[in-house]
Amino acid sequence: MVHDYLLTLAACNTVVPTKIKLTSSGNLEMEVAIAADEEIALVEYQGESPDEQALVAAAASYGYTLVERTSNYIVINVLGQRMTFELLGMHEFDSIRKCMSVIVKCPNGQVKVLVKGADSALLKKISLSEKTTHIAGERQAQVLFDTQMHLDMYSNKGLRTLVVGVRELSDSEFTNWQQLYAKANASVSERATLLQEAAQAVENDLILLGATGIEDKLQDGVPETISTLRNAGIKVWVLTGDKQETAISIGFSCALLTHDMKQIIINASDKQQCHDAIKAAKEAYVQVDNRHRMFRASGRSYDFATELPGGPEKVTELSNASLSRPFSQRMKLDSFRSINSSRADSGRSRHGRLLALIIDGNSLVHALDKDLEQELFDLATACQVVICCRVAPLQKAGIVSLVKRKSKEMTLAIGDGANDVSMIQMADVGVGISGQEGRQAVLASDFALGQFRFLQRLLLIHGHLNYRRLGYMVLYNFYRNAVLVMLLFWYTLYTAFSTSPAITQWSLVLYSVIYTSVPTIAVAIMDRNLSPQTLLKYPGLYKSGQENESYSKLLFWLTMLDTLWQSLVLFYAPYLTFRHSTIDIWSIGSIWIISVVILVNLHLAMDVEHYTWITHLAIWGSIVATYICLIVLDLLTDDDSLVYYGTIFNIAGTANYWLDIFLIIVTALLPRFVLKIVKQKIWPSDVDIAREEEIRKG
């Protein structure tokens, strides 16, 4: 059994041994190792999964060294003796069988099926017949008992486990499998189904050889990252293929699960049992209005799925008592630290204990049905921690889809392996971790990270700033274009809808191309309301996006109301000034265009929160560029431009021209300026308080 056990570890994989040698030029060169090499200084194993590499390395440490792999044979150095195994076929791992097998012909002529896979699938294929017991040389029942004990021990330590088995094929069994395998490979439309049938024909009546346990170390900063994300009001769920005990152990190692949490464990074998378990858990622990309170409070929620579980947590806002104090007192650091405190009311049971839902893949098969998915959603969203273990890739995607369909929240999925691709593609935002698991997840994702801990900066810094910039730019660009359109609308009301515009066609075109475009781009790229250090220090500030502080229907209509006011000031200030004069429409149009350009740029300047030399150059340079363009346009002498030749020189020489511009700017921006000051002093948001604290510290 030991021979077959180590042979399976060395052969049942897709690992390719490579040799590393030093060239004459002093460079390291890597090439595929072959058995004919007399001396191989250094062998490195290349494979799809680091788990496979670890198992092959473990077999090599016990004398079963994989030397060469081709499509036809495998060469293994068995305790100093090189043995060639003919590779007859391979059934790669899939989410249905949950195992991998290779069929090899040993040097003595025996045909063996070497299998490794998940214990939930492989233990069902173990044979306890007398014939199998005789072949194994010892009672399989005892081996099965010992293996299950080892699996439990490995899982409790947080190790990733696999079960190893073997079967010797008779001539008739091999012939039958060979026909099925050849038919599957020749098929075009049903190849996957036929390959599964061929695999199931030989992956049964196995001799249990034992189990493996692989340590899956957490990356640096994972517990801190999860804690920070939860403090930011982000819901973190785990969707993993590991055993339940392994997932729970990892949850504790990440400080995600705590011993004072009430664990709701659901392991159901049929639909009725699953329904009864979910219903009983809801009645016993879940408050009726938890779901509504938790999801209503979060304008944005993320669903993380990697090897790391997490849970929902609300972030404490400043208390009402602190809000009633003077602003200067609230700006004390001790009061400000309440932004970073957390509250888990949404994840507490009726008895005040934190809830953790732990559900396995077999239960999810029934829980994701249309009849039970609402019950599952209600229970999951009422818990602070959700861990889904032993889930298939499609089940991961199903859970993400459930959250998207049952709520209005944004979902983000993060994974590092090929089994996370469907989940990443299902989520609104997909993040792939580039690591030893390959690049399948990265290629299917929207963002790629080197390590999980970089998620803090992606969300808390770039996510916060980009949301704020995008929200503001949507409102500003609506305002920037609407204020000019409304100005022209008021003009048409006084000119009987004449087709003769007061503002030249060139100025109307250049308004969005030159006059106001550069400041918009500069602010959209450069502006930030808080420094990265502050955003990382107080993750609760991320809730400003969840609470729609930068963009909402209310802000949109307030902006449109402000736009209406500014357009009225733009039109009526020059109209009232020159209504009894003999001024022509081109001259008053010159006042309007320069006034609206200065107005929208000063409007933008008043909202900028982080000035740089680029921002100053863009805003003030655009105003100067507008004057230069107006002067150039008024000097054109072609037939179309001659009617407003020299307009700017004539009107700019009067005092009313400059007085009107000053009056327009002050009158139009005064209400917005007053409201901004009142809001920051009387009803400040957490972001306002953090910014004031940042300014106070210099």
Side-chain angles (χ1 to χ4, degrees), residues 243-534:
K243 283 176 61 67
Q244 180 175 292
E245 294 81 2
T246 303
I248 293 175
S249 177
I250 294 176
F252 279 108
S253 65
C254 294
L256 187 64
L257 292 174
T258 58
H259 293 286
D260 61 341
M261 285 184 178
K262 175 60 182 179
Q263 296 183 10
I264 303 174
I265 300 178
I266 299 178
N267 297 324
S269 57
D270 56 62
K271 186 173 182 179
Q272 185 60 42
Q273 186 179 357
C274 182
H275 175 268
D276 294 341
I278 295 176
K279 184 177 180 180
K282 285 184 60 178
E283 293 177 351
Y285 302 109
V286 179
Q287 299 180 24
V288 177
D289 62 339
N290 260 354
R291 171 171 58 93
H292 304 285
R293 179 171 65 252
M294 178 174 59
F295 273 85
R296 186 183 66 246
S298 60
R300 181 174 298 173
S301 176
Y302 291 102
D303 212 8
F304 290 94
T306 178
E307 299 305 318
L308 302 168
E313 183 166 337
K314 294 185 67 177
V315 178
T316 300
E317 302 173 2
L318 292 180
S319 63
N320 292 331
S322 66
L323 290 177
S324 63
R325 299 174 185 171
F327 182 66
S328 59
Q329 294 183 18
R330 288 201 310 275
M331 283 313 305
K332 294 181 179 179
L333 184 58
D334 293 340
S335 177
F336 177 61
R337 290 188 187 278
S338 62
I339 294 177
N340 209 29
S341 62
S342 62
R343 185 173 60 195
D345 293 341
S346 62
R348 292 186 182 274
S349 68
R350 294 176 178 176
H351 308 290
R353 295 186 64 184
L354 300 179
L355 299 177
L357 173 63
I358 302 168
I359 185 170
D360 66 350
N362 292 331
S363 302
L364 285 174
V365 172
H366 309 292
L368 290 177
D369 286 345
K370 291 184 178 180
D371 298 339
L372 291 180
E373 63 179 11
Q374 185 62 52
E375 300 290 331
L376 173 64
F377 178 77
D378 292 342
L379 177 60
T381 53
C383 296
Q384 188 187 35
V385 176
V386 178
I387 300 177
C388 301
C389 50
R390 283 298 191 205
V391 291
L394 291 180
Q395 287 179 318
K396 294 181 179 181
I399 294 173
V400 176
S401 176
L402 176 65
V403 176
K404 291 176 64 176
R405 287 184 287 108
K406 296 297 181 179
S407 69
K408 297 181 180 180
E409 315 308 323
M410 293 285 292
T411 57
L412 182 149
I414 178 170
D416 62 351
N419 57 346
D420 299 319
V421 170
S422 57
M423 170 190 65
I424 289 174
Q425 293 177 335
M426 178 60 67
D428 296 298
V429 180
V431 178
I433 298 179
S434 179
Q436 296 182 349
E437 293 285 350
R439 294 186 56 83
Q440 293 94 329
V442 170
L443 296 175
S445 64
D446 301 302
F447 299 93
L449 301 178
Q451 292 189 20
F452 184 83
R453 60 188 175 92
F454 298 151
L455 201 59
Q456 289 188 71
R457 297 188 64 86
L458 177 66
L459 291 180
L460 302 187
I461 298 178
H462 301 290
H464 171 87
L465 295 179
N466 283 325
Y467 164 74
R468 190 262 170 192
R469 293 165 181 164
L470 182 61
Y472 178 77
M473 280 297 116
V474 170
L475 296 175
Y476 176 74
N477 280 286
F478 266 104
Y479 152 78
R480 180 170 62 95
N481 291 284
V483 70
L484 179 61
V485 173
M486 289 183 180
L487 168 63
L488 298 177
F489 176 73
W490 307 133
Y491 167 76
T492 59
L493 295 180
Y494 281 82
T495 58
F497 297 93
S498 171
T499 58
S500 300
I503 301 176
T504 65
Q505 295 294 335
W506 271 110
S507 292
L508 292 176
V509 172
L510 295 178
Y511 176 77
S512 296
V513 177
I514 295 179
Y515 298 170
T516 60
S517 62
V518 177
T520 304
I521 297 173
V523 173
I525 296 175
M526 306 294 296
D527 194 33
R528 59 177 173 84
N529 53 357
L530 293 168
S531 66
Q533 294 78 13
T534 300

